[in-house]
Amino acid sequence: MSPYRGRFAPSPTGPLHFGSLVAAAGSYLAAKSRGGEWLLRMEDLDPPREQAGAADAILRTLEACGLHWDGAVMYQSRRGAAYAAALARLQAQGLVYPCACTRREIADSHLNFARSAHDTPFAHASGRGGGGEGPGDAARVYPGTCRNGIAPGKTPRAWRLRVDDTPVSFQDALQGKQGQDLAAEVGDFVLLRADGLYAYQLAVVVDDAEQGISDVVRGADLLNSTPRQIYLQHLLGLPTPRYLHLPAAVNADGEKLSKQTLAPPVDARDPLPALVQVMEFLGQAPPQQLRRATVAEFWKWALANWKTERIARRPGLPAL
Ligand code: GLU
């Protein structure tokens, strides 16, 4: 069996908050409880969504939490050549095509379709750039307008990957068997965006392989992205890691905790309350006196007592 190698891959869109601390601590404990390595990758490939100073602040907070990573941090902002090479391989195989559609045109085609079909074409493909180009316009199946060529007079904007209707399935180590019909639920998805930035789906696949990740442990908000990533791994001849999707921390309205939902940052000067709360959230039943422990004592307890079976098998769970 290959050695265990896990990772935490934050996007520097804001400070580390409870939801991201769950993914950090969960992936760390899964790796370290098996004598594995835990790598860090800064997913800073989308400058318009980033906050100045957030990447460094996240690293400092992780250190204050005692979450020490192995090796050097990988920065996606420095990995453009690797993403370009992967895209070129797909281009050479005719698996991707240029797309001239604007967001508005895609949205309009859905309206027209919905009117004629008396149905909504919106699928369950949440997550990064379903048929669209960014996180904002997920959950829309790309109608395939440019699949067989761009209409005369139109300018290519993005590159999309052709998907087929063979269901992609995988066994999630916590959530169980998962499957998705990419053609019906996602559509041909964007790998190089109209603004010239590489899409999360391509970068994550290239980098998980480059870092030799054996096990991806992350929030279940990314469960719907995993089939796209497995599909890409197959096309690029890259190995598929094992996946474990932790429950995502949601607020009272069922929304994922994020900067947008005003999740409070983890206090780097006093991280113990948040760390203990994360253990509670992950079903590990931490003793309350741990709140007064040192960071080192906390991890000693957490590693000795970590049991994946105790985590709720649910995609979302209210933050405590
Ligand atoms: N950067 C992504 C996020 O912060 C996580 C990517 C991943 O774990 O695959 O949501």
Side-chain angles (χ1 to χ4, degrees), residues 76-102:
Q76 289 194 323
S77 55
R78 303 176 192 163
R79 301 269 304 143
Y83 309 145
L87 183 65
R89 288 182 58 190
L90 299 168
Q91 281 166 334
Q93 297 173 78
L95 294 166
V96 287
Y97 60 86
C99 173
C101 298
T102 61

Side-chain angles (χ1 to χ4, degrees), residues 41-45 75-79 83 203 207:
R41 181 166 75 233
M42 193 54 69
E43 300 213 320
D44 55 348
L45 82 173
Y75 287 88
Q76 289 194 323
S77 55
R78 303 176 192 163
R79 301 269 304 143
Y83 309 145
D207 289 344

Side-chain angles (χ1 to χ4, degrees), residues 99 101-122 131 140-146 154 160:
C99 173
C101 298
T102 61
R103 285 165 193 240
R104 149 95 353 158
E105 284 164 342
I106 296 171
D108 285 352
S109 77
H110 281 287
L111 285 176
N112 293 336
F113 178 83
R115 262 186 226 122
S116 61
H118 298 286
D119 193 10
T120 167
F122 292 9
R140 257 177 214 174
V141 178
Y142 178 64
T145 319
C146 298
K154 294 246 176 191
R160 284 182 188 273

Side-chain angles (χ1 to χ4, degrees), residues 7 9-11 43 128 200 204 218 222:
R7 50 59 157 193
S11 302
E43 300 213 320
R128 321 308 145 102
Y200 158 72
V204 74
R218 60 186 176 189
L222 291 163

